[in-house]
Amino acid sequence: MDRHQVFDRNLLLTRRLRALQQHGSAADFLLVRAAEDLEERLSAVERNFDIAVDLASHTDLAAQALRRSGKAAMIVRVERGAPFLDGDFPAIVADEEFLPLKPGSIDLIVSLLSLQLTNDTPGALVQIRRALKPDGLLLGAMAGENTLAELRECLLVAESEIYGGASPRVAPFADVRDVGGLLQRAGFTLPVTDIETYTVRYDSAFALMRDLRAMGMQNVLIGRSRRPLTRSFFMRVAELYAQRFSDPDGRIRATFSFVWMSGWAAHESQQKPLKPGSAKASLADFLKDAEKK
């Protein structure tokens, strides 16, 4: 297997398909929130788009948000698994790491909470940028670095205590500055990133882990330990979680963060930075005038 791979994406697909079959939309609350945020952000974009692609958002929530926004004349969904595509939108079965989209053919691409689990995220973003027409827009969200920070800590402590060492059990997520750098590296212009953080409360760590299984979001890291975990291990995780991250009413907190990103395919109409030395006045002169006033 390629040494640069971080995630077992075949296992990820298998688990998400199983979760869809067994749990349906029971744990879609994060996607619901992301789709609501998407619709709000689209409302601030002062233009309409002929062709929009909903890339790997796993449900039609993003496509429905696009439709409600009235910003896109045609909406096409792209998913790696056909069972995710039940609905009334045109659809393509394809991997977000190998996009079958003609260069310069799409006006808008949106993606919710999937690109953080690509092995070649810079390459995926380059493909997205190439698929966009000049002045086309990418608008999406990735899981941010603080996501499941509490669970990550308790898993590491419990495994170190019981087994004398720890293996990676929660995916490494990018911070907001990293995502901005990735957009620039991929050739997007006017890149913007920001972060939204949400706290979800549960009765126990077991309830949180049930939701993660219902999302198909168990550990798919290539470097994960294959050691079978015991009930005593998970009891210790739950105990640590309750000790460190519970509220006065006994419920525990779980953090989820979304790194929102937007970037445009280059176009001559876009605002460009001034050339060095082209300014009409200096900062020093401005400060002197301000001091006099």
Side-chain angles (χ1 to χ4, degrees), residues 112-125:
L112 298 183
L113 305 181
S114 67
L115 291 175
Q116 75 276 357
L117 294 175
T118 50
N119 283 312
D120 182 13
T121 307
L125 289 172

Side-chain angles (χ1 to χ4, degrees), residues 36 81 118 143 156-157 222 227 250 285:
E36 292 171 351
T118 50
L156 288 173
V157 172
I222 294 289
R227 177 196 298 126
D285 291 339

Side-chain angles (χ1 to χ4, degrees), residues 137-182:
L137 174 64
L138 164 67
L139 180 59
M142 300 168 59
E145 65 173 342
N146 291 326
T147 296
L148 297 175
E150 303 90 349
L151 180 61
R152 180 186 295 111
E153 178 179 324
C154 294
L155 287 167
L156 288 173
V157 172
E159 193 168 11
S160 295
E161 287 180 0
I162 296 172
Y163 300 111
S167 63
R169 296 198 176 275
V170 176
F173 299 125
D175 69 20
V176 67
R177 293 181 298 274
D178 292 335
V179 176
L182 288 174

Side-chain angles (χ1 to χ4, degrees), residues 70-99:
K71 296 287 185 178
M74 179 180 181
I75 302 167
V76 179
R77 293 187 59 208
V78 176
E79 293 288 350
R80 194 170 173 212
F84 296 122
L85 293 169
D86 57 337
D88 59 350
F89 295 94
I92 300 171
V93 176
D95 190 331
E96 57 266 41
E97 290 194 313
F98 303 97
L99 290 181

